Amino acid sequence: MQEYIRKRVLDIGNYIMESSATVRQTADIFGVSKSTVHKDVTERLPLINEKLAMEVKQILESNKAERHIRGGEATRKKYQES
């Protein structure tokens, strides 16, 4: 694995840990695609830092479980502003 990829993977993992950010938010911050963020945290991060990978996985699972709630809030907000 190239060094810049290794650094990005660790930076992304630490960012998600600190901010509980979603994959989409993280992709925007780091200027990469959602697919890249997902591959970094599910495939590459466990090879580099297994403990961090497990913690990030829990955060992403929590975000996924809450996704339908956030979507409903966004829709409600959209129509309240109209």
Side-chain angles (χ1 to χ4, degrees):
M1 182 179 315
Q2 294 183 2
E3 188 60 33
Y4 79 95
I5 294 175
R6 181 181 171 85
K7 182 180 181 330
R8 182 187 69 215
V9 169
L10 289 172
D11 289 346
I12 285 174
N14 288 323
Y15 177 75
I16 292 174
M17 279 297 301
E18 293 169 4
S19 65
S20 295
T22 64
V23 169
R24 184 176 298 227
Q25 291 166 336
T26 304
D28 287 343
I29 294 293
F30 285 87
V32 295
S33 70
K34 295 183 299 181
S35 299
T36 299
V37 171
H38 190 266
K39 182 170 183 127
D40 283 353
V41 298
T42 60
E43 294 179 21
R44 295 179 178 132
L45 188 56
L47 299 175
I48 299 171
N49 185 334
E50 195 169 332
K51 183 175 184 250
L52 179 60
M54 293 300 291
E55 293 171 356
V56 168
K57 183 178 178 182
Q58 289 177 339
I59 291 172
L60 294 181
E61 286 175 356
S62 172
N63 287 343
K64 187 175 180 181
E66 297 168 359
R67 180 171 53 192
H68 68 284
I69 296 169
R70 276 188 254 110
E73 290 173 356
T75 302
R76 182 171 46 251
K77 184 176 179 182
K78 175 183 174 181
Y79 288 105
Q80 284 177 344
E81 291 176 356
S82 303

